[in-house]
Amino acid sequence: IRKMRGELDVVEDESSKEDDYLVCDVNIKCEDELIWGKENYFLEVKDTNVLGLPIEKTLLEGRKQDEECKKEVTFPKDFQLNEYREMKGEISLKVLEIKRIKLPPLDDALAKEMGCENLEDLKTKVKAQILQQKEMMEQRQLEEKILEHLVKEATIELPDTFVQSRVDGVHKNIRERMKEQGKEEEEIDKYIEENKEKNTKDIEDRLKESLIIEKVAHDQEIEVPEEEIDAHIEVIAAQSKKWPNEVRED
């Protein structure tokens, strides 16, 4: 709460510390190919992630303005650029600015700004919110484990032509992206062939997940408003740098 009401001051001639913020240019590469880049990207000095790629605090702490650093990584299974999942790569950062938050006092005045009667009332409400968030996180983790187990044990027969059409769509997107990056056809074909099995498995798992979720929703008579689905698709599209209709097809 104090962070929400604090002010960020630029830090000069000092190294970054835990809970500071870095303004960075960030580049992510796979096999020396730039697959994602962002200028003036905001990162808090703590264990965090970029597109689902874990970034340890140790990479961000102790940095100075204009300093550059890089680290070899393995893209996780939930990496948002799914064609690169479980592949080797590299993330590099250039620190443009270091910012440190100036915290306001924790008192009744701050509590009233947050819509509470006093500091004690604020503490009570914050505690209740933390407990609720913890319960939701634990529930989500449990659901993910259950779904992963169901997909693994499921005997769902997916039509080969349907799966292949999805695989072809993913490969088409990869081909177009690599062409835009100036890659030769031979290199593109080799990359697609090397990752064909992994991409097919990912698509099959995602299709099974969708069918399982749909079956559970039908049995439990769960309905999700169309506008909520559209909003979720737009968020995924923005994060993965795709058009919403591409995300829908995936």
Side-chain angles (χ1 to χ4, degrees):
I1 291 174
R2 294 175 72 196
K3 280 187 177 182
M4 290 170 57
R5 295 291 176 172
E7 297 180 358
L8 287 174
D9 294 332
V10 175
V11 175
E12 297 179 352
D13 302 322
E14 285 189 47
S15 299
S16 59
K17 299 179 181 179
E18 186 174 4
D19 295 328
D20 282 350
Y21 293 86
L22 303 182
V23 181
C24 305
D25 287 344
V26 182
N27 289 314
I28 299 177
K29 293 183 178 181
C30 181
E31 298 179 353
D32 295 325
E33 170 195 340
L34 180 65
I35 61 173
W36 187 86
K38 192 77 171 180
E39 296 180 347
N40 298 310
Y41 195 76
F42 216 60
L43 285 169
E44 186 174 0
V45 181
K46 64 176 185 178
D47 290 339
T48 184
N49 76 84
V50 176
L51 301 183
L53 174 65
I55 307 296
E56 296 177 354
K57 180 182 68 174
T58 51
L59 184 66
L60 307 175
E61 196 169 16
R63 302 298 175 185
K64 290 188 176 181
Q65 188 174 354
D66 295 325
E67 185 176 354
E68 297 184 26
C69 60
K70 61 183 179 180
K71 183 180 179 181
E72 293 183 355
V73 297
T74 299
F75 302 118
K77 292 181 179 180
D78 58 351
F79 188 51
Q80 290 180 19
L81 303 180
N82 37 346
E83 62 265 37
Y84 300 103
R85 290 174 178 175
E86 300 185 83
M87 297 181 66
K88 301 288 185 181
E90 177 188 275
I91 182 167
S92 61
L93 312 170
K94 180 178 180 180
V95 179
L96 305 178
E97 254 184 353
I98 302 170
K99 295 189 175 184
R100 190 164 296 158
I101 194 163
K102 183 178 179 182
L103 300 175
L106 185 60
D107 54 18
D108 288 344
L110 177 63
K112 289 178 181 178
E113 286 183 20
M114 300 300 297
C116 299
E117 294 181 6
N118 50 42
L119 182 56
E120 194 61 36
D121 182 35
L122 175 61
K123 289 180 177 179
T124 300
K125 290 179 178 178
V126 168
K127 183 178 180 180
Q129 186 177 14
I130 291 173
L131 289 173
Q132 183 183 29
Q133 290 175 345
K134 183 181 179 182
E135 290 173 359
M136 290 174 63
M137 184 179 297
E138 290 174 349
Q139 179 66 26
R140 182 177 178 182
Q141 290 173 345
L142 177 61
E143 290 171 354
E144 289 175 350
K145 287 181 179 179
I146 292 172
L147 184 57
E148 183 179 348
H149 175 74
L150 291 174
V151 168
K152 185 177 179 181
E153 298 297 324
T155 55
I156 301 173
E157 293 294 332
L158 299 170
D160 291 340
T161 53
F162 183 57
V163 173
Q164 189 59 49
S165 69
R166 296 299 183 96
V167 173
D168 291 343
V170 169
H171 289 168
K172 180 182 177 182
N173 290 337
I174 293 173
R175 186 176 296 278
E176 290 174 353
R177 187 178 295 123
M178 293 183 74
K179 279 183 178 179
E180 290 173 359
Q181 295 167 349
K183 301 296 181 181
E184 299 292 335
E185 286 290 339
E186 184 178 350
E187 184 179 359
I188 296 172
D189 290 340
K190 181 181 177 182
Y191 177 84
I192 289 175
E193 185 60 34
E194 288 175 347
N195 291 276
K196 184 177 181 180
E197 184 177 343
K198 181 179 75 68
N199 289 336
T200 302
K201 177 68 166 53
D202 287 344
I203 289 170
E204 288 176 345
D205 286 348
R206 281 157 55 194
L207 288 171
K208 288 179 181 179
E209 285 179 3
S210 298
L211 291 171
I212 290 169
I213 291 171
E214 185 178 343
K215 173 63 174 172
V216 172
H218 179 269
D219 290 347
Q220 299 296 321
E221 298 182 353
I222 299 171
E223 294 186 8
V224 181
E226 189 66 28
E227 55 270 20
E228 187 174 330
I229 296 173
D230 291 341
H232 185 62
I233 287 173
E234 287 179 7
V235 170
I236 295 174
Q239 292 173 338
S240 56
K241 299 175 74 174
K242 294 182 178 180
W243 292 105
N245 62 309
E246 291 180 309
V247 175
R248 233 178 233 283
E249 290 174 1
D250 291 346

